[in-house]
Structure formats: C-alpha cells, structure tokens
Amino acid sequence: MTATAPTPSTARVRATALLPRLALVLAALLAAFFAAAAPASAHAALTASDPTDGAVVATAPAQITLSFSESVAMNGDSIRVLDPQGKRVDTGELRDLCSGSLIRYGTALRPGLPDGTYTVAWQAISADSHPISGAFTFSIGAPSETAVSLPSRAAGDGPVAVAYGIARYVAYAGFAVLVGAAAFILLCWRRGAAQRPMQRLVVRAWVALTVATLVMLLLRNPYTGSGNFADAFDLTGLKAVLETKSGASLVSRLLLLGAAALFITVLFGSYARQHTSEGTAGTAEDDGEDAKGESDLVFGLGIGGAVVAAGIAATWALSEHASTGIQTALAMPVDIVHLLAVAVWLGGLTALLVALHKVPGIERTAIRRFSTVAFTSVVVLACTGTYQAWRQVGSWSALTGTEYGRLLLLKIGLVATVVAIAYTSRKWTARLAGGQGEAEGEAEGEAAGEAGLTADVSRETTAVAVAPAETVADPRRAAQLARQSAARRTAREKQVRDADPDRAGLRRSVLAEAGVAVVLLAVTTILTSTEPGRAAELEAGRGSTATAVPDRAVKITLPFDTGGQNGKGSVRLQLDPGRIGANTLHVWAETPDGKPLDLPELKVSFTLEAKEIGPLPLLPERAAAGHWTASGVQLPLAGDWRIDVTVRTSDIDQTTVQKNVKIG
C-alpha cells in the first residue's frame, strides 16, 4: 500500500487543481452566452398605433391606441403620454379595446392639449411572460422641440435581466438534475439511493431549483418594470407579480418543490434503508414480504415522482412559448413531455457521471439500463422537438433568417454532438457488458475489491491495536491514524475504480457528454427568451410602427338612392393610410349637386370574405355637417375587403352600398 499510495494522491492533487480551472472556463462560457444574448424579444409585438409614429394631426386626439400581434398584459401605467415639457397628459386609465382576434389597448388624453410634439412610452408583458416596451412621438398642429428623450434601454434588458437569465438557467439545470438523478436511481440503480454522492447530488439540485425560483419571483417585478434591483423588495410590485400568470407559475413551482422534498425524504429514507439492509439474513417469508413492500414503495415513488415532475415542468409550459401561438392545447402537453425527456437524459447523465467518479461499485447492469433509458429519451426528445420547431419557426426562411431559427440550428448541432458522443459511450457500455462470464466476473471483482478494502482496514486496525498505549491514548495521534486510514481507503477505492480500462473510457465519454450538455442548456435558456421565428416573420410582414409606411390611402365614391324624398346622393370614403393595422376613416355625404348632406344615420362595416372575417361594424362620429370620422379602424389582414356603407335619409328610407378594395 505504501508504495502505490503516492500515485492516487498525485492524481487527486492534479484533479483538484483542474476542477477550479474547469469551473472558471464553464463560468466564462456561460457569461459569454448571456452577455451576447440580445435583449429578450417577446412573442407579442406592436403592429400599429393611432396616431402613428411621426404623425402630425390637426387636432388633439381623444385617445391613444396600440395594437399588438398577440395577447399582452397591461395596467394603468403601461401607456404614458408626455407633453413637450415631460408632463404626463394621459388620464392613466387603461382602455381594453380588444375585439375577437384584435388585441388593442388605449388611454384617454386630457382635453385642451396645445400644439407640439408628444411622446408615447409604453410597456407590456407578452403572454409568454417576456416584457416588451417601446416609444414613439406624434405632433399636434406642428412639430416642436421636446425635452423628453426616448428610452435607450428596452424592457427586459440590463443587469437585472442578466441576473434573471442566470436564475432561469440554474432553474432549468436544477430541474434536469433533480428529475434525471431520481429517475436514474429508480429505473437503473436502486442501490444508488443509499450512496452519499447520489444523495448529495439530488438534494443540491433541489436546493438550486428552489433558490433560483425564489430569485426569479423576487426579480420578476424589476425585470418587467424599472430594471432596478432595489424594486425586488417592493411589496406592492410583488403583489402585482403574484396576480400575473408568470407569478402564479413560480408560486406553483415552489409548492410542488415542497412535495418534491417529501419525495426525496422517502427516497433517501425508508427506500434507501431497504437497500442498505439487503444483505441481512432472514426467512423466506420475511424476504417475500420485504420484496412486496419494496415493490409497493417503488410503485408509489414512481407514480408520485412522475406527477410532481410533470407538475413542475408544467409551470414552464403554461407560462412561456408553448402557451401562446397556434395549437396551444397540443403544444403545452408536448412541451411537458419534452422537458421531462430532457431531464431524464441530461440529469441521468449527470448522475451516471457522479456515480462513475465517486462510487467504484456501480453495477454494469445499471449502466446498461441507463443506456436504454437515455436512448428512449432521445427518441422522445427528437419527436417533440421536431413538432416544437415546426410550431415556433413555421418556414424554412425563418430557420435561417431569424435569431430564433439560428439559435435552434445551434441547439440541433449541439444535440447531434451529444448524441455522437453518446454513441461512443454506448460502445464502452457494450464492452463492459461483453466480457465472458460477465456476471461472475463482476461479482468476483467487486468481492475482491471489498476483500482488499477489508484487508486494508484490518491491517490498519491491527496497527492501531499494537501501537503503544500512550500513543493510542493521544487524541492527536488517534486522529492522525484515522486520517491515514481514510486516505488509504480512498486510495484503494480509486485503484479498484481505475483498474478497469472500460470504466475509465466510459467516464471520459460521459464527462464529454456532460460538458456539451452544459452549453446545450445555456442555448436552450436563451432560446426560451427569444421571439419565435413564426412571430418574427409575421411582425416583419405586418410592419412596425417605427418603420415609415408610404401613404396609399383608399379613396372611393359610392352613389346611393334610398327611394324616398331627397334620398339620392353619394358618399365619399377615405381610409388612411389604407393598410393592415390601424387606419383613420373619413366619410362625406353629398347631394347630387355636391352640397353636404347631413344624414340622420350612417354606418360602415368591413368584411374579408376570403378569411371569413367580419363584418366588423363601425359607427363613425359626426365631425361636421355631412362629415363623419373614426380613428383606430383595425384591419388585421391583407386582402380584398368589402366596405359596406349604410345610409338613412329618413325614419323609413335606408339603403346599403358596397365596394371591394385592396388592403395591404
């Protein structure tokens, strides 16, 4: 023993020196990923506003309206309108103007606003939990100088966003290790429940997930709002967060983690004790009762653990990308299955790596079982991931032309790399399982290792026993002997573990898998906070209010005849700017000789028959004799729209005229 002890000690010293460097490299890599990530783009995007960005209106509008591509959450402070001196001129009352598929909100302006340039700053939370914000200006009468500067930092950006992103990564990693390691113990290596390294791994994963969830809950208010860390302890803001879908999901996750703690207690308590006492002799009847009791316990742990794991996965699926967009009823359960497959694969991989490095006695059958479980997880991952990619990207152009698509390609490449390394791991596993007399040889090898350890312990005990009485009685000497005994035992365990070249090769390949998996998880975290490719292309197709749109106002004239006295005339209609999104409508009614005709009633509706949209009714406000107007007229899609104008010239005389126009 004395001659061979320095080699393991030297290896341990080198390994100890290497670990901080490896941790530093991984930390730098993760920091680079989070620092390089663009500000979180959300699923929802501003598609139109009234007035539009840079518009000059003759009179002050009664309200400001904003239209979005997807559902958003807003409050009274979400839309702020500032005059040239920076004074707020809106009423602070949010108006919900949503109708069917139209997502529109507004706020009223105070009356009597003077001419000048006004700034509209808005902020909202997308249905997939990510904050969005923006600002634009419009002018009344004529543009003027303004003391208000547009914000340079978007919502979801800055140091708070970086901290929130790191907490998200830790939460994903904690969930994967917690679920995967527990599944590894129950499905592949039940004796592992009694091993200290496995217990520490699962408990630390639970702590990491719990702490990360608490941090996300506290940072949620500054992340979606001010961007100041101090607001994390604002009780009013925290209360507002708890009333949102994201806050409810985080609280639900904490409650489910309480149930997970109970699961861990049983797994490493009564279940682990059963496997610790497997070698205790007993009658056949006792053995039968123990086997039945263990089977029932395994069944209960499996069902309970699966329910808790699915519940925790659902806290992501119900509040992020899967909960918005198309086919949400199918996308959310698929996302839950996807997350569970990732956890069983990557978390189980982490558990196997810890077992190979810390527990020299792991059975080869456990490694073979995990190989089968990992293969099944990868198949499930490929199927669910393909559906998610189609749903979020939508087209080949979005796969290469959007940030989400490019990140998805990077993720696919990393998954392919892990699978390629996993193929090498399977070859090492096959070599471990391919030796002649495998079961007997494994049992003999483990027995020999245990015998060697026992012999070492016996020699150490004998050495202590024959030592002089005064030396043994010395507490310092006794402690020194105990440390030497532990060092010899550790060295012997490492010798036994490193004696098998196949196991050493498997450890190296699994370590490489885990290293790539760390980067893969970072890319996945960034991907969940990036605007999906389908939404990005839709936003680009609709156009943003920040982009100048040429004036192509729709102008039509429709003659009418209600059949009564003075029932003939015409209506001139102008729809400005005549595109999808918000428009301003003007209608003039005139007599046959061109004079204004003040009708008792005038109504307008819009219908897109090709998409079965409409009719969308509209009741314009009377602006002057023979002149009606309406602002914020929403036309959500491009196509041939039919405009119906209903005019009434008396109590009983009424007619409807119509015409198709091209929009978009």
Side-chain angles (χ1 to χ4, degrees), residues 219-595:
L219 291 181
R220 185 70 191 169
N221 179 41
Y223 171 63
T224 59
S226 65
N228 298 321
F229 281 103
D231 289 340
F233 303 100
D234 181 5
L235 296 182
T236 302
L238 181 60
K239 179 182 178 182
V241 167
L242 295 177
E243 295 174 352
T244 64
K245 182 171 65 173
S246 299
S249 296
L250 292 172
V251 172
S252 299
R253 190 181 304 166
L254 289 174
L255 295 175
L256 288 167
L257 284 170
L262 179 61
F263 169 86
I264 294 172
T265 302
V266 176
L267 179 64
F268 296 142
S270 57
Y271 182 76
R273 284 194 295 271
Q274 286 187 359
H275 290 275
T276 304
S277 59
E278 283 180 348
T280 305
T283 65
E285 183 179 353
D286 291 338
D287 291 342
E289 292 179 357
D290 291 342
K292 184 179 183 305
E294 180 184 352
S295 177
D296 293 341
L297 185 56
V298 170
F299 179 79
L301 282 173
I303 295 297
V307 170
V308 173
I312 296 176
T315 62
W316 277 288
L318 297 176
S319 62
E320 296 194 349
H321 284 163
S323 63
T324 61
I326 63 173
Q327 301 181 358
T328 55
L330 176 61
M332 287 187 287
V334 168
D335 193 48
I336 292 173
V337 174
H338 185 80
L339 287 171
L340 291 177
V342 171
V344 171
W345 179 30
L346 299 185
L349 189 69
T350 305
L352 176 61
L353 180 63
V354 171
L356 288 170
H357 277 268
K358 298 293 184 180
V359 185
I362 180 173
E363 297 87 352
R364 300 181 183 187
T365 53
I367 299 174
R368 291 201 305 272
R369 291 192 195 105
F370 176 71
S371 180
T372 302
V373 170
F375 178 77
T376 304
S377 298
V378 170
V379 171
V380 173
L381 189 65
C383 295
T384 56
T386 300
Y387 169 74
Q388 286 184 322
W390 168 82
R391 178 178 175 272
Q392 300 290 5
V393 176
S395 66
W396 292 109
S397 60
L399 191 61
T400 57
T402 64
E403 182 183 1
Y404 186 94
R406 290 187 289 270
L407 282 172
L408 182 61
L409 289 175
L410 176 59
K411 179 181 177 180
I412 293 172
L414 290 171
V415 171
T417 302
V418 176
V419 171
I421 301 174
Y423 176 74
T424 304
S425 298
R426 286 178 65 88
K427 291 174 63 177
W428 285 113
T429 302
R431 291 184 60 176
L432 280 170
Q436 294 182 352
E438 174 194 347
E440 292 81 5
E442 183 175 346
E444 291 174 1
E446 292 179 359
E450 292 177 1
L453 290 174
T454 303
D456 289 342
V457 174
S458 299
R459 285 194 296 271
E460 293 159 6
T461 304
T462 303
V464 173
V466 300
E470 63 275 9
T471 303
V472 177
D474 185 1
R476 293 184 180 178
R477 179 57 178 165
Q480 183 181 10
L481 289 174
R483 288 194 297 271
Q484 291 176 352
S485 175
R488 292 190 186 97
R489 189 159 50 249
T490 302
R492 177 60 180 166
E493 290 176 355
K494 191 174 187 305
Q495 281 182 336
V496 172
R497 187 184 67 200
D498 294 341
D500 189 343
D502 293 338
R503 289 179 186 267
L506 180 61
R507 281 200 307 274
R508 288 192 296 270
S509 63
V510 171
L511 179 61
E513 283 185 72
V516 179
V518 170
V519 182
L520 173 63
L521 202 59
V523 174
T524 302
T525 304
I526 298 174
L527 198 63
T528 58
S529 61
T530 303
E531 182 180 19
R534 186 186 293 270
E537 282 205 332
L538 179 63
E539 178 185 349
R542 288 179 174 176
S544 173
T545 56
T547 304
V549 178
D551 184 4
R552 49 179 183 272
V554 173
K555 300 178 181 180
I556 59 175
T557 300
L558 300 172
F560 66 86
D561 184 358
T562 62
Q565 186 179 6
N566 299 324
K568 292 184 178 181
S570 63
V571 289
R572 288 190 298 109
L573 184 146
Q574 177 175 315
L575 193 65
D576 189 15
R579 60 179 176 86
I580 56 176
N583 292 267
T584 300
L585 175 68
H586 292 275
V587 182
W588 293 270
E590 299 175 342
T591 62
D593 56 0
K595 295 181 180 179

Side-chain angles (χ1 to χ4, degrees), residues 77-289:
D77 284 333
S78 294
I79 305 176
R80 295 179 296 116
V81 184
L82 308 175
D83 66 9
Q85 288 73 41
K87 182 180 178 181
R88 189 167 176 175
V89 295
D90 61 279
T91 61
E93 177 186 357
L94 183 69
R95 294 182 175 181
D96 186 346
L97 305 175
C98 300
S99 175
S101 61
L102 298 179
I103 309 300
R104 182 173 59 174
Y105 291 88
T107 185
L109 299 181
R110 295 172 184 170
L113 295 181
D115 292 350
T117 297
Y118 291 77
T119 303
V120 180
W122 59 270
Q123 185 166 332
I125 300 176
S126 176
D128 57 4
S129 80
H130 303 303
I132 55 175
S133 64
F136 62 91
T137 62
F138 72 95
S139 301
I140 300 175
S144 68
E145 294 185 0
T146 176
V148 181
S149 57
L150 298 180
S152 58
R153 185 182 65 84
D157 193 13
V160 170
V162 173
Y164 192 85
I166 293 174
R168 284 168 58 88
Y169 177 84
V170 173
Y172 278 122
F175 170 75
V177 175
L178 174 62
V179 174
F184 178 79
I185 292 172
L186 288 175
L187 299 176
C188 307
W189 191 37
R190 296 181 181 179
R191 193 173 64 85
Q195 301 297 323
R196 286 286 184 183
M198 305 303 294
Q199 294 175 358
R200 286 194 292 266
L201 177 66
V202 173
V203 171
R204 288 171 180 172
W206 181 89
V207 171
L209 178 55
T210 303
V211 172
T213 303
L214 284 171
V215 170
M216 291 173 66
L217 186 61
L218 290 175
L219 291 181
R220 185 70 191 169
N221 179 41
Y223 171 63
T224 59
S226 65
N228 298 321
F229 281 103
D231 289 340
F233 303 100
D234 181 5
L235 296 182
T236 302
L238 181 60
K239 179 182 178 182
V241 167
L242 295 177
E243 295 174 352
T244 64
K245 182 171 65 173
S246 299
S249 296
L250 292 172
V251 172
S252 299
R253 190 181 304 166
L254 289 174
L255 295 175
L256 288 167
L257 284 170
L262 179 61
F263 169 86
I264 294 172
T265 302
V266 176
L267 179 64
F268 296 142
S270 57
Y271 182 76
R273 284 194 295 271
Q274 286 187 359
H275 290 275
T276 304
S277 59
E278 283 180 348
T280 305
T283 65
E285 183 179 353
D286 291 338
D287 291 342
E289 292 179 357

Side-chain angles (χ1 to χ4, degrees), residues 59 585-588 598 620-630:
T59 58
L585 175 68
H586 292 275
V587 182
W588 293 270
D598 202 10
E621 297 180 356
R622 183 179 181 275
H627 181 202
W628 293 261
T629 183

Side-chain angles (χ1 to χ4, degrees), residues 32-102:
F33 265 113
F34 286 112
S41 300
H43 205 155
L46 182 69
T47 58
S49 68
D50 186 22
T52 58
D53 183 20
V56 179
V57 296
T59 58
Q63 65 178 359
I64 301 295
T65 62
L66 306 177
S67 301
F68 298 90
S69 60
E70 298 286 349
S71 297
V72 295
M74 307 185 79
N75 56 41
D77 284 333
S78 294
I79 305 176
R80 295 179 296 116
V81 184
L82 308 175
D83 66 9
Q85 288 73 41
K87 182 180 178 181
R88 189 167 176 175
V89 295
D90 61 279
T91 61
E93 177 186 357
L94 183 69
R95 294 182 175 181
D96 186 346
L97 305 175
C98 300
S99 175
S101 61
L102 298 179

Side-chain angles (χ1 to χ4, degrees), residues 554 573-575 583 585 587 604-609 613-618 620 630 633-636 641-645 659 661 663:
V554 173
L573 184 146
Q574 177 175 315
L575 193 65
N583 292 267
L585 175 68
V587 182
V604 182
S605 66
F606 298 85
T607 304
L608 183 59
E609 296 178 342
I613 297 178
L616 305 177
L618 182 66
V633 179
Q634 287 288 338
L635 300 179
W641 286 82
R642 190 186 75 229
I643 302 179
D644 295 271
V645 182
K659 187 171 185 177
V661 297
I663 300 295

